[in-house]
Amino acid sequence: MAEKIAKKLDITEKTIVQCKDFDVIEGNLKNPLWIMQINNELKIVLNVEEYMRLMDSMKNIMKENFELKLEKAILSEFPVDYDDVKAVVLEEMKRDEKASIADVINKVKLEHPNLFYNLELDKIF
């Protein structure tokens, strides 16, 4: 059963522990979260459903964070059409997954200047 869960969660390095004898110091075994003390080190134990909800929440937060950073970076460069620039930036990021958002936007701005307004502020003043 543990193997199935590890595979489902895409966990490659796993440690499976079977507890046959332990003492409940405080609380109730029916709680979804346990705090275990192993050799004076505290560990958090969650049931699988709670862990999966936690991971889903973290993925959603990371996605929202990325989307907000991407939106801020694109809008700061005055795009003609936000959605067009976003599509090009995302495609470029797929090609180079290690590049930062700022680097990719600068590259897109150089390769596709027509996607951005050319605001020469020094000529205005």
Side-chain angles (χ1 to χ4, degrees), residues 88-103:
V88 173
V89 168
L90 290 175
E91 280 301 312
E92 192 64 38
M93 290 186 95
K94 286 179 187 175
R95 289 187 204 124
D96 186 3
E97 294 179 1
K98 294 183 181 180
S100 70
I101 293 173
D103 291 342

Side-chain angles (χ1 to χ4, degrees), residues 9-27:
L9 296 173
D10 197 29
I11 298 173
T12 54
E13 288 189 38
K14 59 190 171 295
T15 301
I16 299 171
V17 178
Q18 181 176 1
C19 297
K20 292 185 179 190
D21 189 28
F22 58 91
D23 296 323
V24 177
I25 297 169
E26 177 183 328

